[in-house]
Amino acid sequence: MIVGNWKMNQSLASIERFMTALAPALDANIATAWIAPQAIHLPVLLAYRQRWPKQLRVGAQNCASALSGAHTGEISPEALKELGVDFVIIGHSERRTLYGETDALLHEKVQMALGQGLTPIFCVGETQAEREAGQTMDVVERQVRHGLKNLQDEQWAQMVIAYEPVWAIGTGLTASAEQASEVHQYLRGLLRSFCPAQAEKIPLLYGGSVKPENLEELLKATDIDGALVGGASLKALDFAELLKISSCQA
Ligand code: PGA
């Protein structure tokens, strides 16, 4: 599973160029491309999904913790569903740090997204200081315990979790496959205790400076089921290459 997080990038013109360049990979049906554009560009991507209904999944980068009401500037999960959006990234480290999103708020967002039948991609990860202090597993455990508390079995079955060490996001520093896999195996162990029936099926994505040169090694490692990709997802040929590499590992 390869998810492109475009963050606050792309224009109408650059999306058109991107999709033209990605078209051969989508036509060849090598793997499903999950793409999260800025909210304002969702309808544009959804129009492309009509052309590639099997090969393209379209998602938001955030949603509100309420369905409607006095929340100026927020994105309603109900409106996302109505538009036909497939998934929503929740708890990205940029949301946590730049916009002060707490574990408690993220728990509400996850519940709202699940209630609308959207697939949440729930992000967790430690900072450099937390890693150096030996707190990585404590941090990701706390984020999962709080953010995903009290989920029913059928809700767990809708979840995707992304491990994104904050120090590796947009920095060019990738966690080694061993470092990433260690955390992924820990997360898998947690899931076995929370939802034994679903634990093995929940995709665990790695994110943080993923590119064509390092994806294969990451995907070969235990419990890494895919990638959440920022920078490299903005280049169509790199993104197509990531899809190709993932299909070879499937
Ligand atoms: P990056 O971003 O691939 O540019 O490091 C990953 C992310 O923020 O999801």
Side-chain angles (χ1 to χ4, degrees), residues 205-224:
L205 312 183
Y206 167 78
S209 300
V210 171
K211 41 188 181 275
E213 297 76 47
N214 57 27
L215 181 65
E216 184 178 346
E217 203 188 338
L218 287 160
L219 291 182
K220 277 189 179 147
T222 308
D223 283 322
I224 302 183

Side-chain angles (χ1 to χ4, degrees), residues 5 7 92 94 164 168-171 207-210 228-232:
N5 172 13
K7 309 193 181 184
H92 189 279
E94 286 149 22
E164 298 204 302
I169 295 178
T171 57
S209 300
V210 171
L228 178 53
V229 189

Side-chain angles (χ1 to χ4, degrees), residues 78-99:
E78 195 170 40
L80 290 175
K81 187 63 189 177
E82 186 184 29
L83 209 57
V85 164
D86 300 299
F87 70 97
V88 54
I89 299 171
I90 295 179
H92 189 279
S93 78
E94 286 149 22
R95 300 294 316 172
R96 292 177 189 262
T97 55
L98 299 176
Y99 300 98

